[in-house]
Amino acid sequence: MGYFALSGLGISPVQAIVGPMCGIFGGTAELLCPNAADLLRHRGPNQQGEVGVKTAQGRSLVMGATRLSVVIKDEVPTPFVRGASVLSYNGEIYNWRDIRRELEALGHRFETQTDTEVVLTAYLQWGPQCLQRFNGMFAIAIWNDNTLFLARDRVGKKPLFYAHTNAGLAFASELKAIKDLAFEEVPICRSLEFHFDEFTPFKNVKSVKPGEYLLYRPDEEKVSTHSWWTFPEYTPEITDPKQAVKEFLDVFSDACKVRQLADVPVTIFLSGGIDSSLIQAILRFDVSYTVQFEEFRGHIDEQSLVSEFASKLGFDARIVTPRKEDFLSTFEALARCIEFPVGSLSVFPLFCLAQAARRDGFVVALSGEGADELFNGYFRNELLLREDKQLQPDLTGPYSTLCWRYFGTSLQRFCRMASRQGPEDLPLLNAFFSALWSDKRTFAQNLTVAETKVFLQPLLVMADRLSMGNSLEVRNPFLDYRVIEFSAKLHDDLKFRDGQGKWVLRQALKELLGSDLGITQRSLKHGLPAPVNQWLFRSAAFDRKHWNDILLGECLKQLAMAPQARAAR
């Protein structure tokens, strides 16, 4: 691990080509585990580095990174340094070449062919406003002008935790790099059975929120947070079905294509569902990866649907078939990666997918997160929207007062669906989600905002942590900000129609593949469950409470061991 000191001036620009850095850490060294780079090595097995910086009043800070070679394979110095400024960067900016040309027109000159140098230069040129120009997934830390700048992408695809105490401030891609973690239960997270945004399981440790940036001035011990992106306002101007399908395919195809670009092998996590099948229908990867549990055959049979799809397009559909023995042997590693429960049984199959793809030499995989949130695709959404449509005559009829009192508002009905603990948690959930709910939006639109801002977060934790735990990068084309903006222009009837969500996606898939495949005819969404309850508790139910309790215990154990652990070299 390389280390060099930077006291403010006199350091020449890095004379190298730097790719994205996939694990970052820094701030007050006393708040970081001394082996932080080793603890994050799985996020960047190709390189690790630290830079020491001093504030105007002589306080010492650290900027560190570990690097996974995705854009450039050569070994290069990291973090990225330009003069007195230092960048630790995790992620990908897909439109960096366009931004670079804009910066060159302003007189800037570049020495590398990567997005890393563009990110730092853009910040030096425009300050925090540079974030508005970025299309990608990122967690950014920049030391410049005696200020530490931390920022996270629009929807939180890349993680960024920070601890702020009397000793100072430290940040890291994962909790294990932060010292002296003290568990603290969070009521809203207990109700939902997952953690998200600033609500981590540990005292004094928060997450930079999606679409937020933070400024820390260590000499003043001043921290301020700022929102730089919010979910777009709904303007349902697209009402024509044919126009909707065409515009979706135009936007989504480009979102897929820019995420296919890499200097390493790229694959796809493919289920028998609509979302990942759309990506594959557009990009036509030679190899895909699918999970099939033997315990689910005949009930949740992804393999037959994917195999039929593969026969039509002619790609190699690799099926991963995890067993109970695999679960037991990987449970500690899985807990070490995920760090806290996310309210899902999918952590194990996702870990297995990433493990298999990485073992076969792939370094990047595309995945379908975000489609259900943006296009009302979850069964719970469909159930609420079907119910709402049936209730409208009564809610506006002669007995409307009685019906409203009995059925409740749309927010109250949503909270009843969201609660994992039962009626006793409804006041807490109503109070929390009321801040996200708006009378200016339809029920379907409010569902999308709540799903994207809250329920999407644990899925992105899984996508990041379980892939990066295997040194694999996952990219999510549905979460391109242009796709999000498109969804906000779409009339509700083009998302939820005939009792089903994702109407425009279903039509787009049929346009690309025809209507004869099982994946284009599939109506019931299963998600990515695992028979963990069956293995551990002899129960076929998908209830997650006992699973969460067991996983939390192992996560806390692994985090307690982290300061003494040395990641495998």
Side-chain angles (χ1 to χ4, degrees):
M1 181 177 68
Y3 182 94
F4 61 95
L6 173 69
S7 59
L9 294 172
I11 299 298
S12 61
V14 174
Q15 305 289 326
I17 299 176
V18 184
M21 303 168 187
C22 293
I24 64 175
F25 61 93
T28 307
E30 290 77 12
L31 296 178
L32 291 167
C33 293
N35 57 333
D38 277 340
L39 294 172
L40 299 179
R41 187 182 294 272
H42 53 279
R43 299 186 69 89
N46 302 114
Q47 251 185 291
Q48 297 80 41
E50 292 182 13
V51 173
V53 301
K54 287 190 181 296
T55 72
Q57 296 183 10
R59 295 183 62 181
S60 296
L61 299 179
V62 170
M63 297 288 286
T66 67
R67 178 175 176 257
L68 177 67
S69 301
V70 173
V71 177
I72 299 295
K73 298 179 182 179
D74 297 336
E75 184 169 314
V76 295
T78 129
F80 192 91
V81 179
R82 171 175 285 178
S85 302
V86 184
L87 166 67
S88 293
Y89 163 52
N90 171 203
E92 304 281 353
I93 305 299
Y94 302 113
N95 63 332
W96 67 271
R97 290 180 178 84
D98 294 334
I99 299 171
R100 173 173 166 150
R101 283 191 287 270
E102 188 176 359
L103 288 165
E104 286 175 330
L106 293 171
H108 293 278
R109 294 295 175 262
F110 292 85
E111 301 178 18
T112 71
Q113 291 293 324
T114 68
D115 59 346
T116 305
E117 187 179 9
V118 170
V119 168
L120 180 55
T121 308
Y123 180 78
L124 296 177
Q125 173 67 40
W126 295 303
Q129 289 71 34
C130 69
L131 300 170
Q132 301 286 350
R133 289 173 158 83
F134 296 163
N135 180 10
M137 56 180 184
F138 53 84
I140 297 170
I142 296 175
W143 174 255
N144 178 66
D145 193 22
N146 217 43
T147 300
L148 179 64
F149 169 78
L150 303 179
R152 202 161 168 225
D153 62 62
R154 291 169 176 81
V155 293
K157 286 174 274 188
K158 285 298 168 187
L160 187 53
F161 297 99
Y162 68 97
H164 184 217
T165 71
N166 292 334
L169 182 143
F171 66 88
S173 295
E174 296 182 9
L175 291 164
K176 58 178 64 69
I178 298 174
K179 284 175 65 175
D180 301 327
L181 298 173
F183 177 74
E184 180 178 53
E185 189 169 67
V186 183
I188 187 66
C189 297
R190 183 202 64 231
S191 296
L192 296 173
E193 293 186 346
F194 59 80
H195 291 265
F196 62 101
D197 284 359
E198 73 268 37
F199 303 111
T200 77
F202 302 101
K203 295 179 182 177
N204 299 320
V205 180
K206 295 183 178 181
S207 169
V208 176
K209 290 182 181 180
E212 181 181 82
Y213 70 85
L214 177 152
L215 295 173
Y216 171 57
R217 297 177 177 85
D219 288 339
E220 305 169 19
E221 269 310 319
K222 183 178 179 181
V223 174
S224 59
T225 58
H226 309 265
S227 176
W228 68 270
W229 184 86
T230 58
F231 198 93
E233 292 296 323
Y234 275 93
T235 56
E237 59 197 50
I238 303 175
T239 58
D240 178 71
K242 290 184 178 179
Q243 177 192 358
V245 173
K246 180 184 183 303
E247 289 195 24
F248 168 74
L249 283 173
D250 288 345
V251 173
F252 186 66
S253 295
D254 191 64
C256 289
K257 289 172 184 175
V258 298
R259 284 162 177 79
Q260 189 181 22
L261 299 175
D263 293 335
V264 292
V266 183
T267 186
I268 183 172
F269 293 163
L270 183 62
S271 73
I274 294 168
D275 313 334
S276 57
S277 297
L278 264 169
I279 301 171
Q280 177 64 353
I282 291 168
L283 296 182
R284 310 292 176 103
F285 287 105
D286 293 332
V287 177
S288 69
Y289 288 84
T290 302
V291 164
Q292 177 64 59
F293 290 100
E294 293 297 333
E295 289 84 352
F296 292 160
R297 282 198 191 277
H299 171 49
I300 304 175
D301 197 348
E302 306 292 339
Q303 182 173 352
S304 62
L305 292 166
V306 169
S307 296
E308 181 191 34
F309 187 18
S311 295
K312 181 178 179 70
L313 294 192
F315 61 90
D316 178 8
R318 298 181 184 177
I319 308 300
V320 182
T321 56
R323 302 167 300 167
K324 179 180 179 180
E325 294 76 16
D326 300 317
F327 170 76
L328 295 175
S329 65
T330 61
F331 182 56
E332 289 186 0
L334 191 153
R336 190 160 53 250
C337 291
I338 200 69
E339 298 192 314
F340 51 82
V342 289
S344 176
L345 298 168
S346 299
V347 289
F348 177 57
L350 272 173
F351 184 85
C352 295
L353 281 173
Q355 189 178 59
R358 193 65 174 95
R359 187 186 299 127
D360 289 349
F362 291 97
V363 184
V364 174
L366 270 64
S367 187
E369 285 85 1
D372 289 296
E373 289 78 8
L374 295 175
F375 298 96
N376 298 135
Y378 285 116
F379 175 73
R380 60 180 178 257
N381 297 167
E382 295 177 342
L383 186 61
L384 285 167
L385 292 172
R386 287 198 297 265
E387 178 190 67
D388 191 61
K389 191 171 184 179
Q390 292 173 341
L391 290 178
Q392 283 309 309
D394 293 320
L395 294 175
T396 57
Y399 294 101
S400 59
T401 302
L402 175 65
C403 291
W404 278 108
R405 190 163 59 243
Y406 180 73
F407 292 112
T409 64
S410 61
L411 172 60
Q412 290 168 334
R413 298 199 296 275
F414 167 75
C415 289
R416 288 201 295 270
M417 178 71 74
S419 175
R420 305 296 182 190
Q421 308 301 320
E424 66 271 16
D425 283 338
L426 291 180
L428 174 65
L429 291 170
N430 274 278
F432 178 82
F433 282 104
S434 62
L436 298 177
W437 221 255
S438 173
D439 292 337
K440 296 179 181 179
R441 302 191 204 108
T442 65
F443 194 3
Q445 292 164 359
N446 273 315
L447 285 174
T448 291
V449 173
E451 293 281 3
T452 304
K453 293 181 74 68
V454 177
F455 291 87
L456 175 64
Q457 300 312 308
L459 304 187
L460 295 180
V461 170
M462 286 194 292
D464 173 83
R465 230 64 104 248
L466 300 170
S467 60
M468 294 308 300
N470 289 282
S471 302
L472 182 89
E473 180 177 280
V474 166
R475 300 175 178 178
N476 320 103
F478 279 102
L479 295 176
D480 189 300
Y481 79 95
R482 297 169 298 173
V483 177
I484 298 174
E485 290 177 352
F486 166 81
S487 75
K489 296 177 182 177
L490 201 60
H491 192 276
D492 288 355
D493 187 52
L494 299 177
K495 290 187 282 187
F496 179 77
R497 178 181 284 202
D498 300 327
Q500 284 189 315
K502 297 196 291 193
W503 182 85
V504 69
L505 272 59
R506 297 174 194 276
Q507 296 305 117
L509 189 62
K510 289 177 182 177
E511 184 165 310
L512 293 172
L513 299 175
S515 302
D516 57 331
L517 288 176
I519 56 172
T520 59
Q521 300 168 7
R522 189 176 188 178
S523 59
L524 183 61
K525 179 179 177 62
H526 291 292
L528 188 60
V532 173
N533 286 341
Q534 190 172 331
W535 292 335
L536 299 182
F537 312 119
R538 297 184 180 179
S539 169
F542 289 142
D543 181 81
R544 301 171 295 194
K545 185 177 187 308
H546 296 307
W547 160 238
N548 275 352
D549 291 341
I550 290 174
L551 183 58
L552 175 60
E554 187 61 34
C555 286
L556 294 176
K557 173 186 170 185
Q558 293 297 323
L559 285 168
M561 295 168 56
Q564 292 78 42
R566 302 294 291 183
R569 291 183 180 271

